[in-house]
Amino acid sequence: MQQLAEKQAEILIKEKIAEGAEKKEIMHILQIGSCPEGVAQELWKDHCSVTRLDLRNNIHHLDLPDEQFDLAIVWNVSWTLHDPVMAYEEWKRVLVSGGSLVLYDTDWYKAMQDEKEAAQYQKKEQAFLKEHERMGGGEDMRLPMKTVERPAWDKKVLDVMNMETICQEYGISQFLIVAEKKEEPEET
């Protein structure tokens, strides 16, 4: 099921890049996390300018200007966030009006109900915490996203942030959200 979810996400990202290429000479893309090879290859096209961030970067406070990116791709990262609302607000901030956030992740709350997926989560969480410690992270790394029901939680937060969302779920716990930054009314 995960392969199907990744393939659907890959197709959607390719479509977003193709749409952007029709409108702009260069499409500015923010990539947070490691994407599968098919997505990564798509980002190397001539009409794409890509800024890549990973967990070594502070993805809660981006040191980037407002409204810089046409597309933000967040791949299997949001489950690690200690303040997801803050991160989502930052990702919205750096999107241009009409820009899209593509969020591919796992609902570990649901996965914990399945014995096999719960074991997989425990392995991923331990690896993440070890890597965080190795990189000198000292703050409390409780992972609040494992206690919320996703993607309903994500969709609700993005809706409150005035983002138009489409959500697809795959199997027990994989999901894909596409959120578009709506035009903000100009202040008078």
Side-chain angles (χ1 to χ4, degrees), residues 162-181:
N162 199 29
M163 303 263 302
E164 190 173 315
T165 59
I166 299 168
C167 181
Q168 297 173 320
E169 295 182 59
Y170 304 94
I172 295 174
S173 59
Q174 303 289 237
F175 66 90
L176 173 68
I177 294 177
V178 179
E180 189 169 299
K181 183 177 179 179

Side-chain angles (χ1 to χ4, degrees), residues 92-103:
K92 178 186 176 188
R93 179 185 66 77
V94 299
L95 284 174
V96 299
S97 190
S100 296
L101 169 67
V102 176
L103 177 67

Side-chain angles (χ1 to χ4, degrees), residues 18-186:
E19 286 172 20
E22 290 175 10
K23 297 176 188 173
K24 301 178 99 174
E25 191 174 316
I26 299 291
M27 187 167 186
H28 298 278
I29 300 171
L30 174 62
Q31 176 189 337
I32 301 175
S34 297
C35 296
E37 187 177 333
V39 173
Q41 287 175 350
E42 196 66 23
L43 299 179
W44 284 101
K45 299 232 168 140
D46 288 340
H47 58 275
C48 295
S49 170
V50 181
T51 300
R52 288 180 175 79
L53 302 176
D54 59 27
L55 294 175
R56 290 173 292 197
N57 303 102
N58 185 344
I59 57 178
H60 290 80
H61 299 284
L62 302 177
D63 189 20
L64 299 166
D66 293 353
E67 299 188 0
Q68 183 176 348
F69 298 98
D70 304 296
L71 176 63
I73 302 167
V74 181
W75 200 274
N76 267 337
V77 168
S78 60
W79 71 276
T80 67
L81 300 172
H82 63 271
D83 191 341
V85 174
M86 181 187 299
Y88 285 20
E89 287 171 346
E90 275 292 278
W91 303 342
K92 178 186 176 188
R93 179 185 66 77
V94 299
L95 284 174
V96 299
S97 190
S100 296
L101 169 67
V102 176
L103 177 67
Y104 176 85
D105 213 351
T106 301
D107 177 359
W108 290 110
Y109 178 82
K110 279 184 198 157
M112 296 301 278
Q113 311 307 312
D114 179 270
E115 201 172 296
K116 183 178 174 188
E117 293 222 19
Q120 182 184 3
Y121 170 78
Q122 296 296 334
K123 260 171 73 173
K124 281 189 175 190
E125 183 179 41
Q126 290 308 312
F128 169 75
L129 293 172
K130 256 186 209 169
E131 181 66 9
H132 178 73
E133 187 178 307
R134 186 186 68 74
M135 293 183 328
E139 67 183 87
D140 180 15
M141 283 308 300
R142 287 171 286 145
L143 303 175
M145 297 301 276
K146 74 178 180 184
T147 62
V148 297
E149 213 167 316
R150 302 182 69 206
W153 183 93
D154 304 78
K155 186 172 178 357
K156 182 179 176 184
V157 168
L158 292 165
D159 287 344
V160 167
M161 291 170 49
N162 199 29
M163 303 263 302
E164 190 173 315
T165 59
I166 299 168
C167 181
Q168 297 173 320
E169 295 182 59
Y170 304 94
I172 295 174
S173 59
Q174 303 289 237
F175 66 90
L176 173 68
I177 294 177
V178 179
E180 189 169 299
K181 183 177 179 179
K182 296 180 187 176
E183 300 267 339
E184 300 284 337
E186 290 192 28

